[in-house]
Amino acid sequence: MIKQEEVFHIGRLGKPHGIKGELSFMFKDDVFDRVDADYLVVEVDGILVPFFFEEYRFRTEETALVKFEGIDTQEQARELTNCEVFFPRKLLGEKEEELSLTEFVGYSLMDEVNHTLVGEIEALDDSTANLLFEVVSPKGKEILVPATPEIIRSIDKKNKTITVSLPEGLLDL
């Protein structure tokens, strides 16, 4: 059985495309293409299920058409509409160039200077030119922290923490 901590969210399946089981796939991260994955994990009725690719092709920078093995009709594809899609962490390997920032949702953000917990990363904001971590502090305050190499000091995957050197005054905003 696949556990939630073994995967990270990368997108959602949309409506069927055609009659042969293809589905529209809206993704936030193309990691499945960069690491040449054979499968994705789909949440079906609260259970994480691996689905192996038969093929996929990109339509836009955020959308692909996917055909999974065993999904051969429009009716079968319709059952997966709006299901959340995840990527297995174990397929990432240890290579830095294969690092995916969406993998860090759920990580704790630690301040290097004060040695304190800034909060938990809840999402990534890529709506501007600068990528931001959306962080919720222990007191429930929402904080936007730049997700840049200049700020990130270390990443501890085992303990799911990222240590950052925050710009002075950022937490006072």
Side-chain angles (χ1 to χ4, degrees):
M1 183 187 227
I2 301 171
K3 297 179 181 143
Q4 192 69 42
E5 58 269 10
E6 296 173 340
V7 297
F8 62 96
H9 188 258
I10 62 166
R12 174 189 298 253
L13 293 174
K15 298 187 294 189
H17 181 80
I19 59 170
K20 296 185 180 179
E22 273 190 317
L23 283 152
S24 171
F25 171 38
M26 291 81 60
F27 55 88
K28 301 184 293 188
D29 190 331
D30 67 351
V31 65
F32 63 95
D33 187 54
R34 287 183 284 127
V35 299
D36 199 26
D38 293 332
Y39 69 97
L40 293 175
V41 177
V42 179
E43 186 174 26
V44 180
D45 297 328
I47 299 170
L48 297 173
V49 180
F51 280 85
F52 287 84
F53 287 118
E54 201 166 287
E55 64 181 342
Y56 64 87
R57 64 186 187 277
F58 290 97
R59 294 191 76 186
T60 68
E61 288 186 19
E62 295 99 19
T63 308
L65 293 177
V66 296
K67 172 72 174 76
F68 292 121
E69 292 179 5
I71 306 297
D72 298 315
T73 66
Q74 185 178 30
E75 292 74 29
Q76 289 173 318
R78 191 173 291 120
E79 291 178 22
L80 298 176
T81 299
N82 291 324
C83 286
E84 300 298 328
V85 179
F86 299 85
F87 191 80
R89 292 180 191 276
K90 69 180 181 183
L91 295 182
L92 281 178
E94 296 300 318
K95 297 179 184 172
E96 190 68 28
E97 64 270 11
E98 293 175 356
L99 199 58
S100 172
L101 287 175
T102 55
E103 178 185 8
F104 299 128
V105 172
Y107 275 47
S108 295
L109 205 63
M110 302 295 292
D111 182 11
E112 176 185 56
V113 176
N114 300 324
H115 305 289
T116 58
L117 174 67
V118 176
E120 183 176 317
I121 300 170
E122 292 221 328
L124 289 174
D125 180 347
D126 61 357
S127 63
T128 65
N130 299 317
L131 186 63
L132 303 168
F133 289 129
E134 293 180 15
V135 179
V136 176
S137 76
K139 294 181 181 179
K141 181 180 175 186
E142 292 184 10
I143 306 164
L144 295 176
V145 176
T148 65
E150 295 82 25
I151 291 176
I152 297 172
R153 295 295 180 239
S154 66
I155 299 170
D156 182 348
K157 286 188 171 188
K158 183 178 179 187
N159 294 313
K160 298 180 94 174
T161 60
I162 298 176
T163 302
V164 292
S165 176
L166 296 175
E168 193 171 320
L170 181 73
L171 297 179
D172 299 329
L173 298 175

